[in-house]
Every structure is written in C-alpha cells, then in structure tokens.
Amino acid sequence: MSSPTTGEGSMWIWQQAGGHRHAREATSHSELPEGQTFVSLCGETLTVLNRDVHGPNQPGWLDPTCVTCDLQIRVNLGLPLPRCGTDGAGSANRETQTRRKMEAH
Ligand SMILES: [Zn+2]
C-alpha cells in the first residue's frame, strides 16, 4: 500500500490540455513541453499549449478535470468510483431499507 510504483513501468499522471485536465500514461513525473502531443486516457490526441505548461505566471492548472479520465483512472488503479454503481451490495442494502420503511409506514 505504501509502495505505489516499484521498478520500471508506467503510471498515470494528470496533464492539462484541450481545456480539461486529462490523465496520461507516463514513465516519469516530468511535464510535457509546449507543443508536445499525447494520447489521453479517454482516448483523445491532445497538444500541450503554452497555457498548459507550469511557469512563474502559471502556477497551477485551472481547467476542470476530464470526467472520462477521472473515472477511467479509478478503474485502472482499482479505486472506488465517486458515484454508487448500479450493481453490488450497496444497492441491495438500499433496497432492503426501502422495503423496511414501506412496511413500517
Ligand atoms: Zn480525458
């Protein structure tokens, strides 16, 4: 748990481009230079613009996170999804609670 990436191999890091913050596969944390193209996790081919590169006048990324990349990176990393799924134990429990409320009513 405390060793996220060991040895060589790829990881997923965030990269702003095309008006959103996308995830991309990378082998190091080094940022992409201006003009560099990359394929995002959601399948788009994007180009890094000047506004997407960190600098003295550009301390952080302000564009919203790409929803598709956010979901996909959670799946790839095995993290829980932000919203409840349509299947699983959660919905079953909710169904039981709803029934109990209806019986009590
Ligand atoms: Zn994306």
Side-chain angles (χ1 to χ4, degrees):
M1 225 171 180
S2 57
S3 57
T5 48
T6 51
E8 60 177 10
S10 59
M11 58 187 171
W12 299 98
I13 66 173
W14 293 102
Q15 174 67 53
Q16 179 177 287
H20 281 87
R21 210 161 53 93
H22 295 276
R24 66 177 174 86
E25 194 167 17
T27 51
S28 74
H29 280 291
S30 58
E31 292 180 32
L32 294 177
E34 182 185 351
Q36 180 77 51
T37 58
F38 68 98
V39 179
S40 64
L41 188 54
C42 60
E44 286 190 59
T45 302
L46 299 154
T47 304
V48 178
L49 302 179
N50 177 264
R51 66 184 291 273
D52 300 323
V53 179
H54 286 166
N57 300 319
Q58 182 82 6
W61 293 327
L62 301 174
D63 285 348
T65 302
C66 170
V67 177
T68 308
C69 281
D70 186 41
L71 280 175
Q72 193 61 47
I73 203 169
R74 289 168 191 271
V75 172
N76 285 10
L77 296 176
L79 297 173
L81 299 176
R83 294 174 196 168
C84 291
T86 52
D87 54 1
S91 57
N93 286 338
R94 204 171 304 140
E95 203 170 290
T96 308
Q97 285 174 357
T98 308
R99 275 188 198 148
R100 279 180 189 155
K101 277 180 190 171
M102 286 171 73
E103 284 167 9
H105 193 63

